[in-house]
Amino acid sequence: MRTACVQATPDAVARAALLLRRGQVVAFPTETVYGLGAQATNPVAVRGIFVAKGRPADNPLIVHVADAGAAEPLTRGLDDRARALMAAFWPGPLTLVLPKSGIVPPEVSGGLDTVGIRLPAHPVARALIAAAGAPVAAPSANRSGRPSPTTASHVAQDMAGRIPLILDGGPCMVGLESTVLDITGDVPVILRPGGVTREMLQSVLGRVAVDAAVLAPLEPGSAIRSPGMKYRHYAPRAAVRVVTGQPPARAPRLCALYDAALARGLRPVILAPQEHAAGFGGRACRPWGSADAPQQAASELFALLRALDEEGYDPILAEAVADAGIGLAVMNRLLRAAGFAVEQAEQL
Ligand code: TXA
Ligand code: MG
């Protein structure tokens, strides 16, 4: 299959919508990451997403709507909490997990009785979904296990030959996937942190829990609330290690890991906030965001992981970021990219 990658002009959006109506899979920009969409109400089309991505069938897809009114029919009714969240954060990077209605095929929900729904903020995404005439199921447009794509060329790297069309809407603003919030129980639970932060959700809901799997590996045999947590994610080809612990002890630990990797004939690189980047002697270091600007670290992470792979670095040694605000999402993705390989630096 030949894959066209075109600017997201109104004509191109109309062409993409026609492909969706015919049951095809197309890639499109959102404010978080690029999505790989198919009509959510067409099970055959939805299966095409799993084939293109190489995704396990038990990992459910998020259903994207063009306006808030399109959400309710996908659910068994919206409560006050759902309505308050939609009013506060839609359109935007928040996916709500709700009990699903019969309209949502099991192919989309991975066999669960819930569905994740999101109204994206990106104008191209909204125009496309509206023109497609039905909600659009869309995971991130990467091959399963790879870092999510934040530009159209990342999508092309992973999807060339597998889908007919990629709409290019430029780089994604947020750069990490949406917050996934389960509101089916008494206490809302963040299954995946993202651009709508825990603090923002608490301002509307009061108490909000964070699933244990966000910052720690799943215990064998523990109940899994979000099937996506089972799989290695966001991973570049290079090994990633995250250095946490006492801030003054981190630079010496990063340097020691770097020197050990070099001595083994490897080609290491350090990722550190820009204000620390001068502290590693002549070692290869990429400044990554800043301690005061975690949004920048968020928007750059996936592109940086892909670029470092292309430049042949391995391992990638990353200094941890503070996990407040969107920093929680940054740490979640970094730890998963590392397969939870963490080095705790202590002062002697
Ligand atoms: O920002 C985003 O959410 C992007 C863009 C394209 O909108 N989409 C995205 O989809 O990240 P995906 O499939 O890569 O990640 C969806 C995550 C998975 O971890 C999945 O397990 C979880 O959301 N999820 C989806 N539906 C769920 C449900 N009903 N219950 C629990 N987790 C669910
Ligand atoms: Mg994904």
Side-chain angles (χ1 to χ4, degrees):
M1 185 186 299
R2 202 186 142 267
T3 302
C5 185
V6 297
Q7 283 300 316
T9 59
D11 275 356
V13 171
R15 185 170 145 207
L18 192 65
L19 287 167
L20 290 176
R21 285 171 179 274
R22 289 185 184 150
Q24 304 259 13
V25 175
V26 301
F28 62 97
T30 83
E31 75 280 21
T32 58
V33 301
Y34 276 74
L36 193 63
Q39 270 193 332
T41 46
N42 178 344
V44 178
V46 169
R47 271 180 235 139
I49 295 177
F50 288 88
V51 173
K53 262 191 83 104
R55 180 177 177 111
D58 67 347
N59 195 1
L61 305 177
I62 293 170
V63 179
H64 297 67
V65 292
D67 56 76
E72 186 155 14
L74 302 169
T75 72
R76 296 201 293 276
L78 301 174
D79 62 11
D80 290 346
R81 283 189 309 195
R83 288 183 200 284
L85 290 164
M86 289 161 62
F89 302 117
W90 280 14
L94 175 65
T95 296
L96 296 177
V97 173
L98 291 159
K100 81 175 187 79
S101 74
I103 298 177
V104 180
E107 284 79 359
V108 169
S109 59
L112 301 174
D113 65 357
T114 56
V115 59
I117 310 175
R118 147 166 145 79
L119 171 55
H122 199 294
V124 170
R126 295 184 70 180
L128 176 66
I129 302 160
V136 171
S140 49
N142 51 288
R143 294 281 290 278
S144 209
R146 297 260 296 145
S148 294
T150 55
T151 67
S153 69
H154 296 161
V155 180
Q157 281 171 11
D158 282 19
M159 289 296 154
R162 299 178 153 254
I163 58 173
L165 184 65
I166 301 167
L167 288 178
D168 185 348
C172 302
M173 297 284 291
V174 180
L176 299 179
E177 308 85 346
S178 62
T179 305
V180 177
L181 183 71
D182 183 337
I183 50 170
T184 58
D186 287 340
V187 178
V189 184
I190 295 174
L191 300 180
R192 180 178 72 183
V196 173
T197 63
R198 182 185 197 183
E199 295 82 348
M200 290 161 74
L201 294 167
Q202 280 169 332
S203 73
V204 171
L205 294 174
R207 185 160 169 228
V208 176
V210 178
D211 195 276
V214 164
L215 291 180
L218 280 171
E219 299 285 331
S222 64
I224 295 158
R225 302 196 55 166
S226 181
M229 292 179 183
K230 277 189 299 197
Y231 302 106
R232 183 160 184 241
H233 264 319
Y234 319 115
R237 280 178 271 277
V240 181
R241 280 209 203 169
V242 185
V243 173
T244 63
Q246 294 176 350
R250 290 177 184 179
R253 177 62 73 90
L254 285 161
C255 290
L257 289 169
Y258 184 105
D259 295 347
L262 206 60
R264 287 182 9 243
L266 301 174
R267 192 154 173 259
V269 64
I270 294 171
L271 289 191
Q274 60 201 26
E275 52 277 39
H276 299 176
F280 299 103
R283 297 174 182 86
C285 175
R286 259 334 125 78
W288 171 47
S290 134
D292 309 322
Q295 299 88 334
Q296 196 189 332
S299 68
E300 291 171 356
L301 176 62
F302 288 144
L304 204 49
L305 292 178
R306 280 180 185 255
L308 294 173
D309 260 348
E310 264 173 32
E311 292 168 49
Y313 286 111
D314 188 2
I316 297 170
L317 308 170
E319 182 174 345
V321 301
D323 61 11
I326 198 170
L328 181 66
V330 176
M331 274 305 280
N332 167 261
R333 304 311 190 275
L334 193 57
L335 288 168
R336 295 189 149 257
F340 293 96
V342 175
E343 301 278 334
Q344 185 91 23
E346 308 286 354
Q347 259 166 320
L348 297 175

